[in-house]
Amino acid sequence: MKISWKAILLWSLPFLVIGFFLWQGFLAPTTTEISNNPANSRMTYGRFLEYLDMGWIKKVDMYDNGHTAIVEALGPELGNRLQKIRVELPASDPELITKLRKAQIDIDAHPTKNSSALWSLISNLFFPILLIGGLALLFKRSSSSTGGPGQAMSFGKSKALFQMEAKTGVVFDDVAGVDEAKEEFQEVVTFLQQPDSFTAVGAKIPKGVLLVGPPGTGKTLLAKAIAGEANVPFFSISGSEFVEMFVGVGASRVRDLFKKAKENAPCIVFIDEIDAVGRQRGTGVGGGNDEREQTLNQLLTEMDGFEGNTGVIVVAATNRADILDAALLRPGRFDRQVSVDVPNLNGRLAILQVHAKNKKIDPDVSIQTIARRTPGFSGADLANLLNEAAILTARRRKNAITISELDASIDRIIAGMEGTALINGKSKRLIAYHEIGHAIIGTLLEHHDPVHKVTLIPRGQARGLTWFTPGDDQTLVSRTQIISRIMGALGGRATEEIVFGNTEITTGASNDLQQVTSMARQMVTRYGMSSIGPLSLENEGSNPFLGGSMSSNNEYSDGIAIKIDAQVQQIVKQCHNQVLRIIRDNRVVIDRLVDLLIEQETIEGSTLEYIISQYTTIPQKDVYIKQL
Ligand code: ADP
Ligand code: MG
Ligand code: ZN
């Protein structure tokens, strides 16, 4: 049986909990002098500390091993009368005593009066006994199921601590949209298949390949595909499994893993989440972790220990190459890095085609359109999308997946579950104006992505939504495009202002405003798009241990900080004014669209464009989008 320490922890938890309650509730004698004390009022510990700071506490009597106190307090909030108040104290706060003494407050402790010494002994032993008993029981269970005594104690033994697949059944054709990575790996596959042709010319194949990329981009899949293509066994373990509770286990697992791998060479050893063990050593934040370091050292030793041509190739995956220990990346270890990124349009198309193979999709569905609507989706997201659509199709009792199910699934994955419809009323009207505001700005600005649809059906956090068809995956965004996006995001609030007046604007725009601010700020501090000039003033936070905002090391003076704020404000203000003007100029069509939206709940992009074009000219947008 596979016995993991997570399981032990999980198992002992109920015992711990039960033990604690029993101990606290039944066994610990509660009849102490407290009940004799006429302190009827209570206050929270936090309040007590406040009072203490104010100097209103005069005397503290501790009961119940310091769990409870009756304090005498005098203060204006208490009507300047000396009062006795009961406070529950946290189990241990050694600083409290120091604090009380500093404040020269009269402290007194009253011992718990037990009926007998034996009783106290039992109650003190009960909890540990229960815990030990629970653990013993667990060991017994696990050893009886493995069939041998003492099995559960040999934590480090390789048995079942890593997975081995003799045949993964995955081939390169199953992995799409990551052609460069596949090319790199083709070499590895060739080596595994015919090592002689490499060794004959004295070539050494890399021992380790590091796969770097965000979650769900197919790293595990790729590693399996190498093994599958080369027809060799696949050993895998995840870094977080290395790092477990007991010292030495991680290191011994590494040893076992490599021993088994060498016996089965040629083969692939896959270490997932290597960042869990392979972080830079000694970075200090959060305390050192000797266990992790030992594991890492063992890993390095093992990788040095086998000759490049034994036929064991280590593939590791991480989404954070930047935090890995430099020693791991040295030649002779993971000297090759292959990055797999979130797929671009063509990649998404290819991945969708792979996963569409075993699904029944209506011939009218254009996979291309789906790929266009899903920028930022990883391979896993796309696989999930098709699956969701298939489930929905089955629920609707259809024979094949149509665009309607796919659309619904995309919406759901991006924006969350569909909520219940809004009831007609002022709030619905306001939301309608807000969304049409976004939509009209999006339609009328040449450099804004065109509107895909507007809807009043709530989803996730949002109560109404305007969807845009994103252009091709853009790595370069122009100033005009950012400005257009800022204006688009301001469109909702601006319309609320004009239609309902400044006093009626709502909190609904908070998310929009967040985006507006962050875009404007980035224009100034990162892209050099303001009159401060082409300076990069803020870096993306790169400290692996602190959140981005905490660690962003800003390299500017306070004087510049003031200028930045002024520039951000100016950009947003200019955009806002322009948006207000566009909304005012188009009030007639906005009113008409709002009526339609309230009636139909959803307006498709084409309908929207058609109606708007009856009132004003819509600028020509990029050609490829028009083709859709
Ligand atoms: P990672 O290890 O990078 O987090 P996985 O390899 O576990 O991602 O991917 C999870 C699933 O997503 C895969 O089993 C596969 O169904 C799908 N997937 C991810 N990337 C791709 C891809 N490039 N081609 C085909 N399917 C993919
Ligand atoms: Mg994975
Ligand atoms: Zn909005």
Side-chain angles (χ1 to χ4, degrees):
M1 170 182 152
K2 177 175 171 177
I3 165 142
S4 99
W5 282 96
K6 275 180 212 143
I8 293 193
L9 219 98
L10 222 73
W11 266 94
S12 53
L13 203 69
F15 291 107
L16 274 163
V17 172
I18 294 170
F20 189 70
F21 275 118
L22 283 175
W23 189 51
Q24 281 280 302
F26 305 138
L27 297 177
T30 45
T31 44
T32 62
E33 286 167 321
I34 293 177
S35 44
N36 308 331
N37 226 313
N40 294 326
S41 47
R42 288 163 172 263
M43 71 175 150
T44 63
Y45 184 57
R47 205 68 202 265
F48 165 66
L49 291 178
E50 269 173 36
Y51 274 41
L52 191 58
D53 288 337
M54 305 294 274
W56 293 347
I57 304 288
K58 302 297 166 207
K59 183 166 192 275
V60 177
D61 286 280
M62 304 252 195
Y63 294 92
D64 203 7
N65 286 329
H67 284 287
T68 317
I70 306 291
V71 303
E72 284 179 20
L74 179 73
E77 276 186 29
L78 301 169
N80 281 323
R81 241 172 349 110
L82 193 67
Q83 291 201 18
K84 287 192 172 182
I85 303 170
R86 183 179 169 137
V87 186
E88 303 291 337
L89 303 175
S92 66
D93 189 352
E95 280 160 33
L96 180 65
I97 303 289
T98 335
K99 218 171 166 180
L100 289 172
R101 287 183 55 182
K102 242 196 204 151
Q104 298 194 326
I105 288 167
D106 193 3
I107 325 170
D108 200 357
H110 303 257
T112 306
K113 293 231 167 100
N114 287 336
S115 42
S116 74
L118 184 69
W119 180 241
S120 125
L121 188 73
I122 292 175
S123 74
N124 279 328
L125 281 180
F126 183 79
F127 177 44
I129 287 176
L130 198 70
L131 181 64
I132 292 169
L135 281 176
L137 205 78
L138 178 72
F139 279 133
K140 211 165 155 213
R141 280 174 54 103
S142 68
S143 59
S144 63
S145 56
T146 39
Q151 273 283 320
M153 296 305 287
S154 59
F155 314 118
K157 266 281 171 283
S158 60
K159 207 170 277 172
L161 288 177
F162 49 80
Q163 283 84 47
M164 183 195 145
E165 287 176 50
K167 284 198 167 59
T168 60
V170 181
V171 289
F172 278 154
D173 279 346
D174 296 326
V175 195
V178 283
D179 295 337
E180 284 148 43
K182 276 203 272 189
E183 228 162 79
E184 288 258 3
F185 280 139
Q186 187 57 53
E187 193 181 296
V188 177
V189 171
T190 321
F191 170 75
L192 287 167
Q193 283 170 337
Q194 353 164 316
D196 300 342
S197 57
F198 286 84
T199 46
V201 294
K204 271 195 180 164
I205 235 19
K207 289 184 203 170
V209 186
L210 183 64
L211 275 166
V212 185
T217 45
K219 298 182 294 296
T220 309
L221 199 64
L222 257 174
K224 284 192 175 173
I226 303 171
E229 286 280 334
N231 211 359
V232 298
F234 181 77
F235 290 84
S236 67
I237 190 165
S238 116
S240 54
E241 284 170 308
F242 277 142
V243 184
E244 289 190 358
M245 273 165 62
F246 288 79
V247 175
V249 177
S252 77
R253 280 190 186 175
V254 174
R255 232 175 356 252
D256 290 340
L257 173 63
F258 277 88
K259 189 165 150 249
K260 267 275 163 352
K262 276 183 227 165
E263 285 166 14
N264 287 282
C267 67
I268 296 286
V269 170
F270 179 62
I271 304 176
D272 211 350
E273 304 172 51
I274 195 169
D275 41 304
V277 277
R279 284 198 176 176
Q280 287 161 26
R281 284 166 290 188
T283 27
V285 184
N289 182 342
D290 282 344
E291 168 60 6
R292 199 170 53 68
E293 282 189 15
Q294 282 180 18
T295 309
L296 175 57
N297 288 338
Q298 187 64 39
L299 184 63
L300 296 176
T301 314
E302 291 290 343
M303 289 195 74
D304 287 342
F306 65 82
E307 279 309 308
N309 297 332
T310 47
V312 179
I313 291 181
V314 186
V315 180
T318 178
N319 41 21
R320 304 288 314 263
D322 53 325
I323 64 167
L324 289 184
D325 197 288
L328 267 179
L329 307 175
R330 214 193 64 187
R333 288 161 183 168
F334 293 102
D335 44 7
R336 296 227 173 158
Q337 281 196 28
V338 176
S339 62
V340 278
D341 253 325
V342 173
N344 61 12
L345 179 61
N346 287 331
R348 293 198 298 276
L349 193 60
I351 294 171
L352 282 168
Q353 270 155 356
V354 166
H355 288 277
K357 261 186 218 147
N358 57 5
K359 304 230 162 35
K360 251 201 190 151
I361 297 186
D362 191 280
D364 286 346
V365 170
S366 149
I367 299 277
Q368 177 93 20
T369 315
I370 308 298
R372 267 206 199 293
R373 273 210 66 197
T374 47
F377 274 45
S378 68
D381 292 334
L382 292 168
N384 179 33
L385 162 65
L386 289 181
N387 193 45
E388 291 268 321
I391 291 171
L392 191 57
T393 308
R395 280 220 315 262
R396 291 180 177 174
R397 299 185 189 286
K398 289 190 185 174
N399 298 324
I401 304 171
T402 70
I403 192 74
S404 141
E405 285 80 34
L406 284 161
D407 256 342
S409 305
I410 295 175
D411 290 358
R412 181 169 155 183
I413 290 172
I414 297 179
M417 288 278 276
E418 203 169 274
T420 43
L422 300 165
I423 39 166
N424 281 329
K426 185 178 171 194
S427 138
K428 185 171 180 178
R429 239 191 141 62
L430 184 131
I431 295 166
Y433 270 105
H434 179 108
E435 295 307 327
I436 293 292
H438 285 306
I440 199 124
I441 301 288
T443 309
L444 293 181
L445 292 181
E446 184 186 343
H447 295 283
H448 199 290
D449 293 333
V451 177
H452 174 72
K453 70 179 174 202
V454 193
T455 152
L456 281 187
I457 301 168
R459 247 180 215 289
Q461 301 286 315
R463 295 199 293 161
L465 282 164
T466 307
W467 296 83
F468 298 95
T469 307
D472 209 347
D473 307 273
Q474 281 179 316
T475 39
L476 293 177
V477 184
S478 71
R479 184 173 198 273
T480 328
Q481 282 170 322
I482 305 181
I483 290 284
S484 305
R485 286 183 198 170
I486 293 179
M487 287 174 65
L490 285 169
R493 163 56 71 83
T495 313
E496 286 181 43
E497 275 172 74
I498 287 182
V499 177
F500 297 89
N502 223 341
T503 54
E504 298 296 301
I505 52 178
T506 65
T507 52
S510 70
N511 200 6
D512 297 337
L513 302 186
Q514 245 171 32
Q515 285 181 26
V516 166
T517 317
S518 117
M519 284 188 281
R521 196 173 170 85
Q522 290 188 38
M523 283 178 75
V524 180
T525 59
R526 288 180 57 193
Y527 308 132
M529 291 177 176
S530 77
S531 63
I532 293 181
L535 291 175
S536 171
L537 298 165
E538 251 159 42
N539 302 326
E540 263 176 301
S542 62
N543 189 319
F545 301 105
L546 303 173
S549 59
M550 264 171 87
S551 67
S552 62
N553 31 347
N554 304 332
E555 293 157 359
Y556 49 76
S557 63
D558 291 351
I560 292 275
I562 294 170
K563 279 193 195 161
I564 291 176
D565 290 342
Q567 287 292 319
V568 171
Q569 242 178 342
Q570 195 191 333
I571 291 173
V572 175
K573 192 159 185 185
Q574 279 174 358
C575 290
H576 188 215
N577 285 337
Q578 284 189 57
V579 170
L580 287 174
R581 196 183 33 105
I582 299 177
I583 300 294
R584 276 195 204 100
D585 291 350
N586 292 280
R587 182 62 197 271
V588 182
V589 65
I590 290 176
D591 287 342
R592 178 166 163 203
L593 287 169
V594 164
D595 288 339
L596 187 69
L597 184 59
I598 287 178
E599 185 193 314
Q600 299 190 345
E601 307 252 280
T602 301
I603 304 180
E604 292 298 327
S606 50
T607 317
L608 187 92
E609 259 183 46
Y610 174 72
I611 296 177
I612 297 176
S613 69
Q614 294 173 338
Y615 293 79
T616 179
T617 24
I618 297 174
Q620 191 74 25
K621 306 227 179 195
D622 284 345
V623 200
Y624 72 87
I625 292 168
K626 277 275 172 271
Q627 289 169 345
L628 282 179

